[in-house]
Amino acid sequence: MVQNQSHSWKAYRQYSNDPDSLHETIGKYVDSLQSLYSPNESETNLSVENLFPVIKHKKYITEIQRLQKKFDSAEETAAFPYYYEQLNAELVVLYAFDSEKSMSMAQLKDIEALGLHPSQLRKVAVGNLSRYLPQLKRQGDETLSMLIADGNYEASLLLFDDIWTKDNFSVKGDIVVFVPSRDVVLVTGSDDKDGLQKAREIIQNNEWSYFISAMAYVRKNNTWAVFEP
């Protein structure tokens, strides 16, 4: 699987070492984003087996549209190029073709070319990820714990419906998660004031590569909703 260090962190370090290189650094950062989201098709393995689910905040969509407008010099807002589904009011699910050599987000035409209907997509992608991930680990206690998988797809564990039960997470109240980054899932309970406070402090006191959200999400009726205590 492709494991990319944060482009923004690398750019910041380069600028810190040589502030006069700001314009060159920004240019390289934009070029790297463009190559990531518009890869050479010959280098991308668009196979069903390489399809994985990716959790993003809805702001990701508007950011990609902004970058498209910058690249294309378009006067009007460009259409978002990738297929996505709403997970809840804030989070969306995209799908990535992830192989040893490259990673690209799936467009609707890619999905149709594979003979998949959008209604099949999540089940197939979650199944692929389940087979790929190592055995899940959990650190912490019932007040606050963290799930550990491969260091890339932890946030996607929100789509693994079978694991989100009170048998697995004996928390106070309903299961609540925080997903500040793609590789971090914090778990506590809706009635656990200490756990909620600790989670919020962790999020506020750290810098996150591949940031997703500072919000909490509660498990209700086999779905994730924004948690509003």
Side-chain angles (χ1 to χ4, degrees):
M1 293 297 151
V2 175
Q3 298 185 13
N4 295 309
Q5 183 179 355
S6 168
H7 293 294
S8 56
W9 174 242
K10 291 169 69 177
Y12 173 76
R13 289 186 62 184
Q14 180 177 340
Y15 168 65
S16 298
N17 293 332
D18 184 8
D20 293 334
S21 70
L22 176 60
H23 293 296
E24 178 184 359
T25 299
I26 291 176
K28 290 180 179 179
Y29 175 45
V30 171
D31 288 344
S32 68
L33 282 175
Q34 187 175 26
S35 64
L36 176 61
Y37 296 111
S38 301
N40 186 323
E41 291 186 3
S42 64
E43 297 176 355
T44 305
N45 188 355
L46 304 183
S47 68
V48 173
E49 293 78 12
N50 290 338
L51 196 61
F52 294 84
V54 178
I55 302 291
K56 299 282 188 182
H57 193 275
K58 63 182 181 181
K59 290 181 179 179
Y60 172 84
I61 296 173
T62 55
E63 177 64 12
I64 293 299
Q65 289 175 317
R66 185 188 67 79
L67 290 174
Q68 280 185 293
K69 185 176 180 179
K70 180 179 179 65
F71 295 145
D72 298 338
S73 298
E75 294 184 359
E76 57 186 47
T77 302
F80 187 70
Y82 310 119
Y83 176 80
Y84 72 95
E85 302 163 350
Q86 294 288 151
L87 183 60
N88 58 30
E90 287 203 345
L91 302 179
V92 296
V93 183
L94 292 93
Y95 296 90
F97 291 102
D98 194 350
S99 67
E100 294 293 338
K101 294 184 178 180
S102 64
M103 178 178 180
S104 66
M105 294 296 178
Q107 301 182 44
L108 181 58
K109 66 178 182 180
D110 300 324
I111 297 165
E112 293 174 342
L114 294 174
L116 291 175
H117 189 275
S119 63
Q120 302 172 287
L121 195 54
R122 188 177 299 186
K123 181 178 180 180
V124 170
V126 169
N128 289 342
L129 185 57
S130 178
R131 288 186 289 274
Y132 159 70
L133 289 178
Q135 184 174 359
L136 301 183
K137 297 180 181 179
R138 182 181 176 190
Q139 291 184 349
D141 53 34
E142 301 303 338
T143 293
L144 181 65
S145 61
M146 181 173 68
L147 296 184
I148 300 172
D150 75 323
N152 285 291
Y153 284 101
E154 274 78 358
S156 297
L157 295 173
L158 269 62
L159 304 177
F160 285 45
D161 291 333
D162 291 347
I163 72 173
W164 298 108
T165 69
K166 293 299 289 285
D167 288 337
N168 291 329
F169 301 96
S170 182
V171 297
K172 297 178 182 177
D174 296 314
I175 297 171
V176 171
V177 299
F178 292 79
V179 282
S181 178
R182 72 178 188 185
D183 59 346
V184 176
V185 177
L186 302 175
V187 186
T188 187
S190 60
D191 296 334
D192 195 324
K193 294 182 179 180
D194 289 341
L196 292 169
Q197 180 63 27
K198 288 179 182 178
R200 292 190 174 104
E201 289 176 354
I202 289 172
I203 293 171
Q204 292 173 1
N205 295 329
N206 285 274
E207 295 182 1
W208 303 98
S209 298
Y210 302 100
F211 180 74
I212 296 178
S213 173
M215 294 292 293
Y217 303 95
V218 61
R219 189 71 174 174
K220 290 280 193 179
N221 300 319
N222 294 323
T223 62
W224 294 106
V226 176
F227 179 57
E228 299 177 350

